[in-house]
Amino acid sequence: MSGRALPLVSALAALALTLALAAAALALGGYPPGEAFGALLRGALGSPQAVVSITLVRTVPLLLTGLAVALAFRAGVWNIGAEGQLYAGAVAAVWVGLHAGALPGWLAVPAVLTASVTAGAAWAAVPALMKLRLGVGEVITTLLLNFVAIDLAAWLVHGPLQEPRGVFPQTESIAEAARLPLLIPDSRLHAGFAVAVVLAAVLALLLRYSRVGFSVRAVGASPPAARSAGRMPVGRVVAGAFLVSGALAGLAGGVEVAGVTYALYENLSPGHGYTAIAVALLAGLHPVGVVGTAVLFGVLEGGASAMQRSAGVPAAWVDGIQALVILSVLVVDRVARRILVARGGRG
Amino acid sequence: MALDDARLDAWAGEVHAVLGENGAGKTTLLSALAGLVHPDQGTLRIDGREVRLTTPRRAWHEGIGMVHQHFALVDAMTVLDNLALGRRRGGGFRLDRPGLAREARELGLRVGLDVPLDAPVGSLGVGERQRVEILKVLLRDPSVLVLDEPTAVLAPAEVDGLLELIRRLALEGRAVLLVAHKLDEVLAVAHRVTVLRRGRTVLEAPREEVDEGILARAMVGAEPEPLARRPGPPSDRPPVVRLRGVRVGQRLRGVDLEVRAGEIVGIAGVEGNGQRELARVLAGRRDPHEGSVHGPDDPAFIPQDRRREGLVEGFSLTENLALGLHDDPTWRRGPWLRWSALRARTADVMDTFGIRAQGPRARASSLSGGNQQRLVVARELQGRPRLIVAENPTRGLDVAGAAFVHRTLLDRVAGDDPAAVVLLSTDLDEVLALADRVLVVVRGRLHPVPPERQTREGVGALMLSGGGVGP
C-alpha cells in the first residue's frame, strides 16, 4: 500500500484501466458494456434528483470513511478498521438518538454526532493501544475488530435494542430532534454531506500547512527521521492520527443513522469502510482528492441498481469494478514509479 | 542527466578505481553495470560482445556482482539465510543450508571475511553487515566485482584487510571495480583509475601515472586545502554536557564523560562497540537505563544514516529544514507553519551551505549524498546549538564534501561563543585531524587516550585491545 501522493495523471490512468478491464469483463459476461455503463450513469446522474438523492447521499459515508483511511495511511497507520469504527459510531448514535427525546432540540443532533465520534475513536483506541504498548500490528487487529463490531450491532438489533414489537431485526427510529436536517428540501440529501466536505477541506489544510499536519506527514514518511531529526513524539502522533481516523469513521456511522436510516439494523453498511480504502488510495491519500473519488464511487454504487434494472447486470458487478479500481491504482502506481526511476537515476 | 558521455573500461585481473565527487555519477554508472539503471545512449561490451543489462538478473548472468553502498539485507533473518537469498542456484526446492554454511566458511577463511553465520543480521553493526554483503556476492563467484564505497564503514585494520582481499580477488582473474572516496586507499590498491566529474569521464590512467594531487584536481577541478588543526590548550570553560555512570543495555556501560565549550572530543572505535548508543544519549535522542545526563535542551545531532534518520527523502528541502524549526515559535503562526518564510529561509541556507538542488521545493531524494549531508548539517547547526554530536558525519562523502563538514565543525568551536563538539567516527584519520582529545570506545566502555598515544598506530592498537586494560 504505497499510494502516496498519486498525481492526477496516475489517478486518471488508473481509472481508464479500470474502465477498460470492466468493459472487457462485462463483454465476457455477455452484457453489452456500453449499455451497462449507460444505465449506470443514467441511474446515478440522469436527473438532478438522482444526483442529489442517490449519488450524493451514497457519497457521504464513503467520503467520511475515505478521509479516515487517508489520514491514517498518511500517518503510517494501516487502519483497515473503518468498517468496524463506522458500526461503533452507528451504535452509539442510535443509542443516544433513541433517548434524545428528552434533550432540547438544539442539543440532540450534536449529542448524537458526538457520541458517534467518541465511539469510533474508542473502537480505534483498542488497536492503537495494542500497537503502541505491545507492538501488535494494526492491520490484523483493526480488521478483526470489524467483525466484532458488525456482530455486536447484529446482536443489539436482535436483542437489547430491538424495536419493541420484536418483529424486525432493527431498532426503533431515533427521535425527530436527533435527525439531521435536509440540505436540499424535498430531497434525501442531509446536512452530513456539508459536514463531510468541510471536514475534507479542513483536513487538507491541516495536513498541508499546519504544524500538527506536518508531524503526521513526517511520522508517516519516516518514523526514525521524525524522531531523531524532527524531535517529534512519534507514539503520540501515531495515537492521535489513529484516534482521529477512528472518530471520522465513527462519524460516518453516526451520520448514516441520523441522516439516512434513522435506525440501526444489520448490514447498515454494505462495506463502506472497505470501499474507503479504494477511495483513499485512488485519491493518492489527499483529502481533497478523496472528495472526488468518493463521489466517483457514489456514482458507481448509486447507479448499480439502475444498471441491474435496465441492463440486467447484477448490482454485485459494481463491487467487482471497485476491486478493479484498487488493483489498477496499485499497478499504475508501480509502473509510474518505475518510469520515474528509469528517467532519473541517482548520482 | 546523471551521466553524460561517461566511459569505463575494466580488465580481468585488474583493480579499477572510480573516483568522483558526490553527484559526479559514480553510483549511476555502476548501477548501469548492475542492470538497475538503463542508459539512454551508449554501449556496454563484455568480452567484446555488446550486451544490454535490462535487469539485475541479466547483469548477474553476465557475471557482474555488485556490493551496494546501502545494504540489501533482511534484518530479521540470520546471516546464513541472507547468504542463501543471494544464491538461487540448483537444488530445486531444497535449500542446502549445511552445504552453504560450509562453502561460506571456506570462502570466508580463504579471503579473510569473518562473519557469524547464525546471528540475525539485525544484531550486527554496519561493518559486519557489509562483510555479509561482500560474502553474499562473492559466493556467486562473479567475474566482474563492483564495490560501491566499501571502505566507508570499516575500521582501519579492516580497511587494510579489505584492500588485501580486493587485490587477491583481482589476482584470481576478476575485474574489480572499486568506488572509493579516499585517495590513499585508491592509490594503494588500484591498477587503473577513472575520474568522473559531472557525469563525464575526465581522466583515465594507469596507477603509475597519477598521484593524489592529480586525482584531486581532476575530481574537483582544483586542489582542496589540506585539513590542519593543532589541538588547543585544554578548555577552561564549564562543561556543556556531562554523563555520569551511563549504561544502555549491554551496549554501553559505566560511561563518564564531560565535554566543554570550545573543544572537539573525538571518540574512535570499531563499529558496534556502543558508539551508536553513546551518540544518542549525548544528543538527547534516548534516555540511558542507568546514570545521569546533564546537557543542553536542544543539541544538534548529525546521524550517520542520513537517509534513514537525518532526512525524510520524500520531503522537499524546505520540509526537511522545517524538521528542525517546527518547534520554534518564530516559524509558526497559531497552529500553522509559516511555509513561505520557511521557503525563503531554505533558499538562504542553500546559498550559505552550497547545497546544489533545483530549489527549496526539490525533494531530498533528488540530491546527491554530499548535498543531502549539507542539508542535514545546515538544519542541525542553524540555531547555533551549544552541543553538536556528529556520528560519522563524512561517511560516504567525497573530498570536497568531507572538507565542508570538517570546516563547519571547526568553525563552531572557534570564536567567543564556541560550541562543544563530540565527533564519533570510525575514521581514525578524521578523529586525529579534528579532535582536541581522543577517547576510544571498546565493548561499551570509554577509555581516554593519553596525548602521547594520539597517533594512528597508538589509537588503532587501543581500539582493538580494549584500552590496554583487557576485558
Side-chain angles (χ1 to χ4, degrees):
Chain A
M1 307 215 185
S2 48
R4 235 194 62 75
L6 197 68
L8 192 60
V9 182
S10 301
L12 291 177
L15 215 53
L17 181 60
T18 306
L19 280 178
L21 289 172
L26 282 166
L28 274 177
Y31 306 104
E35 202 178 306
F37 285 140
L40 188 146
L41 288 179
R42 270 194 307 282
L45 304 171
S47 66
Q49 193 59 25
V51 172
V52 170
S53 290
I54 297 177
T55 299
L56 291 186
V57 169
R58 197 70 185 221
T59 298
V60 176
L62 294 172
L63 174 49
L64 285 169
T65 50
L67 292 175
V69 172
L71 172 65
F73 283 18
R74 283 294 278 274
V77 173
W78 306 114
N79 180 12
I80 314 297
E83 184 76 356
Q85 291 141 18
L86 180 151
Y87 269 99
V91 167
V94 157
W95 191 82
V96 172
L98 289 173
H99 298 87
L103 292 173
W106 58 268
L107 196 59
V109 167
V112 166
L113 297 186
T114 306
S116 66
V117 164
T118 312
W123 206 254
V126 177
L129 267 178
M130 288 172 79
K131 176 184 171 72
L132 292 169
R133 285 287 155 80
L134 306 170
V136 183
E138 71 274 19
V139 172
I140 302 286
T141 48
T142 52
L143 180 65
L144 291 180
L145 277 170
N146 287 345
F147 303 117
V148 178
I150 292 168
D151 288 340
L152 180 70
W155 171 71
L156 286 172
V157 297
H158 281 103
L161 288 183
Q162 194 173 15
E163 45 97 23
R165 286 175 303 153
V167 179
F168 299 109
Q170 66 178 62
T171 63
E172 255 189 298
S173 289
I174 59 173
E176 292 273 351
R179 299 178 188 179
L180 281 170
L182 288 178
L183 205 58
I184 299 174
D186 298 323
S187 76
R188 294 177 57 219
L189 189 64
H190 52 86
F193 180 74
V195 172
V197 171
V198 168
L199 280 175
V202 170
L203 203 56
L205 289 174
L206 283 175
L207 271 177
R208 179 149 189 167
Y209 297 113
S210 78
R211 181 173 178 228
V212 65
F214 180 60
S215 302
V216 166
R217 289 189 289 128
V219 166
S222 170
R227 185 177 290 120
S228 182
R231 286 157 227 196
M232 293 169 179
V234 172
R236 269 175 32 212
V237 173
V238 164
F242 214 145
L243 293 188
V244 173
S245 171
L248 284 166
L251 182 62
V255 164
E256 274 301 273
V257 164
V260 180
T261 65
Y262 304 142
L264 178 68
Y265 47 82
E266 271 186 279
N267 305 324
L268 176 86
S269 158
H272 293 316
Y274 297 116
T275 309
I277 297 168
V279 168
L281 287 180
L282 184 61
L285 307 183
H286 193 288
V288 171
V290 169
V291 177
T293 53
V295 170
L296 178 74
F297 279 71
V299 168
L300 284 178
E301 296 192 353
S305 55
M307 183 177 75
Q308 179 160 5
R309 268 198 318 278
S310 43
V313 181
W317 276 75
V318 164
D319 295 341
I321 294 176
Q322 290 179 346
L324 281 177
V325 172
I326 302 191
L327 294 175
S328 305
V329 166
L330 296 177
V331 167
V332 167
D333 190 38
R334 283 289 135 184
V335 172
R337 211 164 284 216
R338 197 165 294 176
I339 292 170
L340 282 179
V341 169
R343 273 196 197 154
R346 294 169 33 81
Chain B
M1 233 2 194
L3 279 183
D4 178 22
D5 193 20
R7 274 177 301 112
L8 185 62
D9 297 292
W11 305 87
E14 271 196 8
V15 179
H16 190 135
V18 182
L19 287 165
E21 286 220 291
N22 286 293
K26 304 179 301 261
T27 300
T28 310
L29 183 59
L30 297 185
S31 298
L33 259 183
L36 292 167
V37 168
H38 312 302
D40 305 320
Q41 265 180 41
T43 54
L44 175 68
R45 289 172 198 280
I46 295 176
D47 296 335
R49 184 170 44 84
E50 185 165 339
V51 290
R52 292 190 58 219
L53 303 176
T54 46
T55 62
R57 186 185 293 218
R58 285 287 282 280
W60 159 231
H61 279 299
E62 297 290 347
I64 298 171
M66 180 154 179
V67 178
H68 292 272
Q69 197 175 350
H70 303 285
F71 311 137
L73 298 170
V74 183
D75 280 4
M77 289 171 37
T78 65
V79 169
L80 186 60
D81 287 344
N82 269 286
L83 294 179
L85 274 184
R87 190 123 137 117
R88 216 184 263 154
R89 187 180 70 195
F93 287 109
R94 223 169 56 81
L95 193 59
D96 179 14
R97 273 211 187 70
L100 179 63
R102 209 177 320 116
E103 205 181 319
R105 229 171 266 123
E106 279 165 14
L107 179 62
L109 216 58
R110 176 159 65 86
V111 299
L113 273 173
D114 181 28
V115 292
L117 290 180
D118 297 323
V121 164
S123 72
L124 303 182
V126 179
E128 285 172 305
R129 285 180 204 215
Q130 190 198 41
R131 292 199 285 266
V132 177
E133 273 285 334
I134 295 178
L135 193 59
K136 189 170 94 184
V137 173
L138 283 182
L139 275 170
R140 299 170 137 191
D141 195 24
S143 56
V144 180
L145 179 66
V146 184
L147 298 155
D148 193 2
E149 307 222 354
T151 59
V153 296
L154 301 182
E158 295 171 315
V159 170
D160 294 341
L162 180 73
L163 296 181
E164 183 53 42
L165 163 67
I166 288 171
R167 243 177 251 124
R168 227 172 306 149
L169 293 173
L171 278 179
E172 288 181 353
R174 289 176 231 267
V176 181
L177 279 167
L178 171 71
V179 175
H181 64 293
K182 285 206 179 165
L183 297 178
D184 54 340
E185 290 168 0
V186 168
L187 291 171
V189 73
H191 300 99
R192 185 175 290 275
V193 183
T194 286
V195 178
L196 293 178
R197 189 163 76 221
R198 300 197 175 204
R200 289 171 186 274
T201 299
V202 293
L203 176 83
E204 201 215 326
R207 160 70 183 89
E208 302 81 53
E209 293 174 14
V210 295
D211 60 29
E212 288 205 20
I214 292 174
L215 292 178
R217 271 193 300 280
M219 281 164 67
V220 298
E223 203 158 352
E225 294 165 42
L227 192 69
R229 169 175 164 82
R230 244 171 287 116
S235 172
D236 52 359
R237 297 170 198 270
V240 172
V241 64
R242 182 189 289 152
L243 306 189
R244 281 277 174 275
V246 162
R247 180 180 72 80
V248 177
Q250 295 301 307
R251 293 242 164 211
L252 206 58
R253 287 169 295 173
V255 167
D256 297 324
L257 181 64
E258 271 181 16
V259 186
R260 294 166 191 276
E263 69 171 349
I264 298 182
V265 170
I267 295 181
V270 179
E271 189 83 33
N273 274 281
Q275 304 81 329
R276 190 183 158 75
E277 289 73 19
L278 179 58
R280 276 152 192 77
V281 168
L282 277 166
R285 260 51 173 201
R286 69 159 301 159
D287 292 325
H289 293 124
E290 257 175 45
S292 67
V293 182
H294 294 286
D297 293 333
D298 209 20
F301 181 39
I302 302 167
Q304 70 174 27
D305 192 346
R306 58 181 166 268
R307 304 208 318 167
R308 197 179 111 84
E309 252 185 292
L311 294 167
V312 178
E313 284 205 299
F315 273 8
S316 68
L317 268 60
T318 306
E319 287 170 315
N320 272 295
L321 203 72
L323 283 174
L325 294 169
H326 67 102
D327 250 344
D328 181 344
T330 43
W331 299 98
R332 298 207 302 261
R333 195 180 295 120
W336 310 105
L337 289 173
R338 300 171 54 205
W339 286 108
S340 54
L342 283 164
R343 262 193 302 279
R345 169 63 169 260
T346 306
D348 281 354
V349 164
M350 286 173 64
D351 259 8
T352 324
F353 285 80
I355 300 169
R356 260 190 256 152
Q358 282 183 334
R361 290 175 195 267
R363 291 199 178 198
S365 58
S366 71
L367 301 186
S368 67
N371 281 310
Q372 287 186 338
Q373 190 69 329
R374 282 171 194 249
L375 180 59
V376 172
V377 169
R379 182 191 62 226
E380 292 302 313
L381 300 191
Q382 60 191 346
R384 290 213 74 86
R386 294 178 56 221
L387 171 64
I388 300 166
V389 179
E391 180 190 31
N392 288 315
T394 58
R395 172 167 295 180
L397 299 192
D398 55 30
V399 178
F404 167 80
V405 171
H406 290 159
R407 263 199 318 276
T408 310
L409 291 179
L410 290 175
D411 271 0
R412 291 306 168 103
V413 290
D416 289 340
D417 183 23
V421 173
V422 182
L423 171 67
L424 302 100
S425 180
T426 50
D427 181 347
L428 206 45
D429 295 329
E430 176 174 69
V431 171
L432 290 172
L434 293 183
D436 295 298
R437 55 195 176 97
V438 178
L439 298 90
V440 294
V441 59
V442 184
R443 287 189 288 279
R445 292 187 185 278
L446 266 187
H447 306 279
V449 178
E452 68 276 9
R453 294 191 66 179
Q454 287 191 14
T455 60
R456 217 184 136 76
E457 296 69 31
V459 178
L462 286 174
M463 278 163 64
L464 297 173
S465 74
V469 194

